[in-house]
Amino acid sequence: MALASLKSFRACSAGTPASRRVLLALGKSLSCASGQRKPPEPPSAVAVRELRPGDRCRYMFCRQNHVQLRIQALCANDTAQLCGDAGSGPKAHGRWMDEQVFFRKLSGLSTSTEIFKFLSSLEVMSDVMASGALQRISEVEVDEDGLKNPEELLESDVFKALCFQFEYEASKLSNAGLLNALQALIKLRIDPESTLMASLLSESEERLATRQLAVEHQCSLAESLLELEGPGCATLEQIVNRIQEEDIENWTPREMTVVYKMLQAAVREGEQYHDLLNRMNSATLAIADQLSPNFTSIILNSLVVLQQTQAVPLVIALCKHSVKHVPYFTDDELVNVLDAFLYFGHREQSFTDALETHVPKSISSMHPETVSKVMQYCCQKTILSKPIFDAVAECFISDADRFTTSQIAECIAPFGTLNYLPPSASSLFRKLETVLHTRFSQFQPHTLLNLLHSCVLIQRYPVNFLPKIFSPYFLQHLQAQPPGLDRFVASQLTRLFLTVTLECPFYQGPKLLPKYQVKAFLTPHCSLDFHLLKRVKAGLLYLLKERMYFASEVSTPYFYIVDIEIKLDEEGFVLPAAQCEEVHKRIALCVDGRNRFCINSHNLLGEEAIKRRHLQLLGYKVVQVPFFEIESLHTSRKMAEYLHKKIFPHTYGLGC
C-alpha cells in the first residue's frame, strides 16, 4: 500500500470556516503548554482575527502564543484517559469532565466526515482530544487494505489543520498528545519522510533522551518505532533497556499492561528479555486481582505470544480472575482469554459456568469469531455445555451467512466431536446442507473434510458431497495443502468411507482407494486407559480361569482396535482367543476411561460412539465397561462378578 505523502503542510489552506475553528480551538489549548514555561502576552488582534480565504495557516501561528488562555494543558507525563478508560487523571478546571463528554461523543461517530463536523463545532480542545480524534479517524478510515477514502481524508481542510498544528507545535504537546498523534498518523499511512512525521519523531526521541517520558509513553513510542522500522531499531533497544532499570514492583496495572503489550510486539519469544519477563510475571501475580477486563485480556494474550509457559502461577491467577469479567469482556478480549485457556491447557469450572450464563443471552450480538472460539474452547476441553451448544445451533440457523467457512466448521464440528444433537438438530443440519450447496467451493479442503467427518459421528450423512470428497481432484488438493495426507487426515477419510459402506448401503458413488486408507484409526483423544485395562483383565482372569480365553488390543480388518475380544462357539462356550475356526460370535469389551467421555459427563465422545455402531454392524456384541461403573470395585472377585453380569447375564456356573 502506497504511503500518503504530506510533506507540504506549510502551504495548507485554512480558508474554510471549519478549518479555522479547529486551528483556533486547538491553538488555544496548545498555548497553555507554552504558557506554563513563559507567561502569556495579552491577546493579539492578529492571533484571534477571522482568517480570510486567502490567508495561509503559518500566518496565524506566527503569533499563537498570544492567544488567550482557555484550558490548562496536560503536564508532560500526565496520563491521558482516552476512549472511556476508567483510570485516574487530572481534573484541573473541570477539563476532565469535558474530555469524558468529548470521547463519549467521539466514540459514537463512524465516519471521518462526522468527526470533522464534530471537531469544527468545538470552541476549545486539548491536544489529547485532538490526538484522540486522529486515533478515531484511523479506526474508522483504515481497514486491512489501507485507507478507505485517501483523497477525501487527506484533502480535508480540518485534517490538514490538525496535522499542521501537530507539526509546528510539537514541542508544546503533552506526552500523551504527542505519542497518540504519532501512532494514529502511522496507522493512517502518513509518509514517514514527511516533515510532519519527522517533527513528531524528533520531539519524541528528544524527550526519550532527556528522560521526560514515563513508562507508558516509552512503550507507546516503542510501538510506533516498531511499525516504522521493525524490531531492529536501535531506539527500541534503548527503550527496553531503560524499562529494565525501572522499579517494576511499583508499577501500576496500566504500566504493567503496556509493557507486556510492547514486549509482545518487540520480542515475540521473550528469550532476549527473559529476566525482565520473570520479574514482570512475579510482580503481576501480586496485582492480578486488580486488573480490569481489558488489562487481563491483554496480559494473557501477551503471555501466549511470548510463550511464557513457565509462568504457571500467574496464568492460573489470571484465568481465575477472568471469571468475574466474562460478562464485561468485549468480543476481542474474550477471544484472547479463550486462546490463553487453550494454549496453557488450563481448565476452570467456574469459567465454564460463567460462559454458560453469558453466551446464550449474548450470542445474538456476538461476533462470529467469538462464537466459533467459544465452540473451539468447548471442543478442545471436551466440555459438553448444552446451553451453549443449543444457543450456537439457533444462532447458526438464523444467521449462518455471517459466518466464514472456517467459522462454520469450528461451530459445527464440536457437535460431532462431543456426540451431541441439539433439540433443533433437524433445522441445524438442513441449514448446513444449504450452506454447503451454495458455498462448497469456498471451503478449504481440510476444513471441509473435518466438517463432514464430524457429521457422520452423529449419524448425519453427507452423501451428496462424498463423490467430490473421494474424487482424485479433491484428494490431490488435500495432499497439496498442509498438513497434507498425514495419518490423522487419512483416518478421517477412511472413517467416512467405512461409514457410507456400513450405514449408507444405497450410496453408489466413488469409493476411497486403498492407498488412501489407514490400517487402524488414529484416535489420540480416546486412547486406552491401561490402568483400567489391567484391572478388567484381572477380573476376566478370575472369571474365565485361563488367560488364553481372551485377547487384548486386537486389530480387526475393519480399521478398529478392540480393547478386549472374547470368542464364543455356536453353543455359547468360550473359545481360546487364538482359535479362528467355529467362531460363532465375537464379544468386544470397550474399556472406557475418563478420556473417552465429555468432561464431567457420561456422554461418550463421537469417535467412540461411532466405533460402537460400526462394531455392532460388523457382527460384534459390544459390551461397554465404563470407568464410573467399576471405580468402586477394588478386588478381582468383585470385578469378575461385575463382568459376569455384563458379558454373560443369562449364564451361570462360570466359576465366580
Side-chain angles (χ1 to χ4, degrees):
M1 174 58 62
L3 295 174
S5 180
L6 294 173
K7 293 187 177 181
S8 55
F9 274 107
R10 293 182 182 83
C12 76
S13 169
T16 66
S19 63
R20 290 198 297 272
R21 282 194 293 272
V22 170
L23 287 170
L24 286 167
L26 183 54
K28 291 174 183 178
S29 174
L30 290 177
S31 296
C32 302
S34 64
Q36 291 172 346
R37 303 185 186 96
K38 178 180 177 182
E41 298 180 17
S44 162
V46 175
V48 298
R49 71 179 176 85
E50 182 80 354
L51 294 183
R52 294 185 292 275
D55 288 338
R56 299 288 189 182
C57 288
R58 62 175 180 272
Y59 296 136
M60 178 179 178
F61 287 104
C62 67
R63 299 189 183 184
Q64 264 307 300
N65 57 355
H66 296 304
V67 176
Q68 180 76 33
L69 290 178
R70 298 294 297 276
I71 291 179
Q72 182 177 347
L74 287 172
C75 297
N77 277 319
D78 276 344
T79 300
Q81 306 301 328
L82 300 181
C83 303
D85 194 335
S88 60
K91 301 186 180 182
H93 303 294
R95 181 191 54 74
W96 167 227
M97 290 303 296
D98 291 338
E99 282 192 1
Q100 280 187 317
V101 174
F102 173 85
F103 284 112
R104 189 158 54 246
K105 290 183 177 179
L106 185 66
S107 64
L109 305 178
S110 57
T111 67
S112 59
T113 302
E114 293 176 349
I115 295 171
F116 293 146
K117 183 177 180 181
F118 173 52
L119 296 180
S120 301
S121 69
L122 299 177
E123 180 181 353
V124 180
M125 65 176 155
S126 69
D127 61 338
V128 174
M129 294 160 71
S131 63
L134 286 176
Q135 288 183 317
R136 182 58 182 163
I137 291 169
S138 71
E139 291 170 1
V140 301
E141 291 296 336
V142 177
D143 57 22
E144 55 190 23
D145 296 321
L147 281 175
K148 298 176 183 177
N149 302 296
E151 291 184 5
E152 180 181 337
L153 174 65
L154 299 178
E155 291 302 316
S156 163
D157 288 336
V158 176
F159 182 72
K160 290 180 180 179
L162 282 173
C163 293
F164 184 90
Q165 189 90 51
F166 277 110
E167 178 179 347
Y168 289 100
E169 303 291 340
S171 63
K172 300 177 183 178
L173 298 170
S174 66
N175 286 339
L178 172 68
L179 294 163
N180 290 340
L182 180 61
Q183 284 188 331
L185 292 169
I186 290 171
K187 189 174 181 181
L188 287 166
R189 312 294 203 272
I190 302 303
D191 187 354
E193 302 298 323
S194 67
T195 54
L196 167 63
M197 297 296 284
S199 175
L200 296 179
L201 283 168
S202 174
E203 180 64 26
S204 300
E205 291 177 352
E206 180 181 343
R207 295 187 191 185
L208 175 67
T210 55
R211 295 183 178 271
Q212 297 182 49
L213 299 181
V215 169
E216 179 182 349
H217 301 129
Q218 292 180 57
C219 291
S220 178
L221 176 58
E223 290 179 14
S224 297
L225 293 172
L226 278 166
E227 286 288 329
L228 291 176
E229 304 178 36
C233 174
T235 307
L236 180 64
E237 183 80 11
Q238 177 187 350
I239 291 173
V240 178
N241 288 336
R242 186 166 292 176
I243 285 175
Q244 292 189 90
E245 301 171 3
E246 297 281 346
D247 185 7
I248 294 175
E249 288 70 23
N250 291 323
W251 280 353
T252 65
R254 182 182 183 86
E255 289 172 328
M256 194 72 73
T257 302
V258 295
V259 176
Y260 269 115
K261 190 177 179 183
M262 184 270 291
L263 290 176
Q264 173 183 338
V267 185
R268 294 299 177 185
E269 291 84 7
E271 295 177 1
Q272 190 174 358
Y273 301 106
H274 183 75
D275 292 340
L276 172 60
L277 282 166
N278 282 344
R279 290 173 60 200
M280 289 174 59
N281 294 342
S282 297
T284 305
L285 182 59
I287 61 171
D289 60 350
Q290 303 174 30
L291 298 175
S292 67
N294 179 248
F295 291 169
T296 302
S297 169
I298 290 173
I299 292 176
L300 277 172
N301 182 241
S302 296
L303 293 174
V304 170
V305 174
L306 293 167
Q307 301 177 14
Q308 294 296 288
T309 52
Q310 82 284 357
V312 175
L314 175 58
V315 170
I316 293 175
L318 291 175
C319 287
K320 288 183 177 180
H321 179 63
S322 67
V323 173
K324 70 178 183 180
H325 291 321
V326 167
Y328 311 107
F329 283 129
T330 65
D331 279 357
D332 289 340
E333 290 166 357
L334 183 55
V335 167
N336 284 343
V337 174
L338 290 168
D339 275 334
F341 270 92
L342 292 171
Y343 178 80
F344 292 108
H346 186 64
R347 182 185 289 119
E348 192 73 40
Q349 183 58 43
S350 57
F351 182 80
T352 302
D353 294 341
L355 282 180
E356 284 192 336
T357 301
H358 174 66
V359 171
K361 65 183 181 183
S362 306
I363 197 167
S364 60
S365 61
M366 281 184 170
H367 191 278
E369 178 63 23
T370 311
V371 177
S372 62
K373 185 62 68 174
V374 169
M375 291 299 281
Q376 183 185 352
Y377 166 81
C378 290
C379 188
Q380 289 193 24
K381 300 289 186 182
T382 64
I383 298 169
L384 177 55
S385 169
K386 293 183 180 180
I388 292 177
F389 278 51
D390 293 348
V392 170
E394 294 293 342
C395 176
F396 183 78
I397 292 167
S398 62
D399 217 1
D401 292 341
R402 287 199 306 139
F403 292 78
T404 66
T405 53
S406 61
Q407 290 166 352
I408 290 171
E410 288 170 351
C411 285
I412 302 301
F415 286 93
T417 303
L418 303 190
N419 187 30
Y420 176 66
L421 287 172
S424 58
S426 57
S427 298
L428 173 65
F429 287 96
R430 276 199 304 270
K431 186 68 174 183
L432 178 61
E433 185 173 9
T434 301
V435 170
L436 285 171
H437 275 297
T438 57
R439 301 170 66 181
F440 188 88
S441 62
Q442 299 175 19
F443 282 86
Q444 292 296 314
H446 287 281
T447 302
L448 182 62
L449 176 60
N450 189 47
L451 176 60
L452 298 184
H453 173 264
S454 69
C455 290
V456 301
L457 298 180
I458 44 178
Q459 298 178 278
R460 294 299 183 268
Y461 310 111
V463 289
N464 293 330
F465 306 101
L466 289 180
K468 295 181 180 179
I469 298 299
F470 293 149
S471 70
Y473 175 79
F474 180 85
L475 294 172
Q476 287 173 6
H477 275 267
L478 198 64
Q479 197 161 12
Q481 295 184 5
L485 270 172
D486 61 11
R487 190 180 170 195
F488 179 78
V489 174
S491 290
Q492 290 185 317
L493 285 168
T494 306
R495 189 175 279 111
L496 275 176
F497 165 68
L498 182 61
T499 299
V500 295
T501 302
L502 295 177
E503 301 186 58
C504 306
F506 54 87
Y507 174 74
Q508 300 297 323
K511 308 293 184 182
L512 183 68
L513 296 177
K515 68 177 182 178
Y516 297 114
Q517 299 175 17
V518 294
K519 293 182 179 180
F521 289 127
L522 182 66
T523 54
H525 302 298
C526 302
S527 58
L528 186 57
D529 185 330
F530 289 100
H531 176 69
L532 206 61
L533 179 66
K534 183 178 179 181
R535 292 178 57 201
V536 173
K537 287 164 66 176
L540 277 176
L541 184 59
Y542 191 99
L543 176 67
L544 302 177
K545 305 305 181 185
E546 296 287 343
R547 177 66 178 80
M548 61 181 291
Y549 289 116
F550 63 91
S552 59
E553 300 179 77
V554 179
S555 295
T556 70
Y558 314 107
F559 317 110
Y560 289 111
I561 295 177
V562 175
D563 298 337
I564 295 177
E565 183 183 68
I566 299 173
K567 298 175 181 177
L568 304 180
D569 64 13
E570 191 171 1
E571 296 180 6
F573 290 101
V574 179
L575 297 173
Q579 183 170 327
C580 297
E581 299 175 354
E582 300 181 359
V583 177
H584 179 70
K585 180 178 288 187
R586 296 173 187 264
I587 299 174
L589 266 66
C590 296
V591 183
D592 298 325
R594 293 178 183 274
N595 61 330
R596 292 183 176 179
F597 296 87
C598 299
I599 194 72
N600 298 328
S601 166
H602 294 171
N603 193 78
L604 273 174
L605 296 177
E607 289 183 349
E608 285 301 307
I610 196 173
K611 176 180 177 180
R612 281 147 184 67
R613 291 205 312 271
H614 286 176
L615 288 176
Q616 287 174 342
L617 289 170
L618 290 166
Y620 282 87
K621 175 186 176 182
V622 178
V623 176
Q624 184 181 7
V625 183
F627 74 94
F628 51 84
E629 290 184 359
I630 60 176
E631 278 183 324
S632 60
L633 307 179
H634 300 299
T635 66
S636 296
R637 179 179 179 84
K638 288 184 177 180
M639 180 68 75
E641 291 173 351
Y642 166 84
L643 293 172
H644 184 191
K645 293 176 182 177
K646 284 286 255 187
I647 304 170
F648 309 107
H650 307 298
T651 306
Y652 300 92
L654 289 175
C656 287

